[in-house]
Amino acid sequence: MTHTSVMTVGAGLSAAALLLLAGATPSAHADTPPQPGNWLMLGVSHGETPAAGAVGGTLLRCDPPGGGHPHAEEACAQLSAADGRITALPAEDTLCPMIHAPVTAHAQGMWRDRPVSWSETFPNTCTLRARTGALFALDET
């Protein structure tokens, strides 16, 4: 009877180890950005330069829309209309306060097999949102 119990514990430990390994595998791959298709890693840092050595950000995938961006469908539609050129996004007609609180937005990735590397500093978050639409609306609201 002791022998059966040892085998059950051993089998249980093996199953638990397999489940842990299976659970670890997707998260290891989730940290690497996708290679084909249209995708951008987006970030916003406070100040006039991107944070030195900044890692992470929000992944925007556009084929199909997703990747963790809270407004992926709208951002992808706006990028598609601008042929992936962030500088060609139409500015919204918005009144922003004249408060100097600079933010720097940055994007790295691929759009229609073209590498994208873009960064621009805006006087404040309102101006950033008015100029880039849903693309840098990275909060949930």
Side-chain angles (χ1 to χ4, degrees):
M1 189 156 262
T2 305
H3 187 277
T4 304
S5 131
V6 169
M7 288 181 69
T8 305
V9 169
L13 288 175
S14 294
L18 287 173
L19 287 174
L20 285 174
L21 288 175
T25 304
S27 66
H29 294 305
D31 292 340
T32 52
Q35 295 305 315
N38 300 326
W39 63 271
L40 295 174
M41 282 300 295
L42 305 168
V44 177
S45 55
H46 294 282
E48 295 185 12
T49 58
V55 181
T58 300
L59 176 64
L60 171 66
R61 295 182 198 196
C62 288
D63 294 320
H69 192 289
H71 308 284
E73 288 187 33
E74 186 179 356
C76 290
Q78 290 172 350
L79 273 173
S80 289
D83 193 31
R85 294 172 303 154
I86 297 170
T87 56
L89 292 171
E92 295 176 10
D93 190 18
T94 304
L95 292 176
C96 289
M98 294 181 64
I99 297 173
H100 185 70
V103 292
T104 300
H106 44 94
Q108 297 274 355
M110 296 292 289
W111 189 267
R112 296 190 181 142
D113 298 324
R114 294 185 319 244
V116 174
S117 181
W118 176 87
S119 181
E120 188 172 336
T121 300
F122 297 88
N124 53 48
T125 303
C126 178
T127 307
L128 165 68
R129 297 253 176 101
R131 183 64 190 87
T132 62
L135 186 60
F136 285 96
L138 301 178
D139 57 0
E140 295 296 327
T141 58

